[in-house]
Amino acid sequence: MIKKSIGMFIVVIMLVAGCATVPTQDIKVEAQADPKANFNGYKTYDWLGAAAIVNDPYGQWEPPEFDADTEISFLIDRELRKRGMSQRTGDPDLIVAYAAGIDMDALELKVDPKTKINMVENVPRGGLIVALMDSQSGFVIWIGSATAEIQDKPTTQTVKARLDYAVTKMFKQLPK
């Protein structure tokens, strides 16, 4: 009976560990909307040119086999489609633009756990900005941003999950 209980306990621990989530507590998301914009009136969108992500010369944050540009576009498309919008290349209601970048030399004050003194530490940071513009006026009617610490040599799965979290949380702030 005890061996069976121990075996079940180990299986439960393994299942819980296997379901561990990707760290997202460092991801900060904000969004602002034009209070005069009628978001119900927007049904179609198109992309503003090609977005580019700042190159990662040290290979610190984007796994070599991962295409962040494609993933970000996919996630934004998904969120807009959830809101009943569709992509239209001619005369869309909205124009979508995004930019992402990294700062591998970012510094931040952190408390040293041993001495309890603030120390300057290198904390590489990344950011993503998504803007929705009214195609008729050219004005930005909504903008969302996400910033986060760069994970050290993350897996493709980790990067995808963190981007998904950021974009999903960002678009939850888009008025209906």
Side-chain angles (χ1 to χ4, degrees), residues 142-157:
W142 181 86
I143 191 162
S145 69
T147 58
E149 292 179 12
I150 299 297
Q151 304 293 299
D152 188 30
K153 299 190 191 294
T155 64
T156 296
Q157 182 179 350

Side-chain angles (χ1 to χ4, degrees), residues 43-49 73 76-78 80-81 84-94 96:
K43 303 294 181 204
T44 60
Y45 67 93
D46 200 9
W47 294 92
L48 176 69
S73 296
I76 294 169
D77 271 329
R78 181 194 69 197
L80 291 171
R81 289 178 192 281
M85 294 184 193
S86 59
Q87 187 173 355
R88 182 195 298 170
T89 54
D91 197 29
D93 300 325
L94 289 175
V96 180

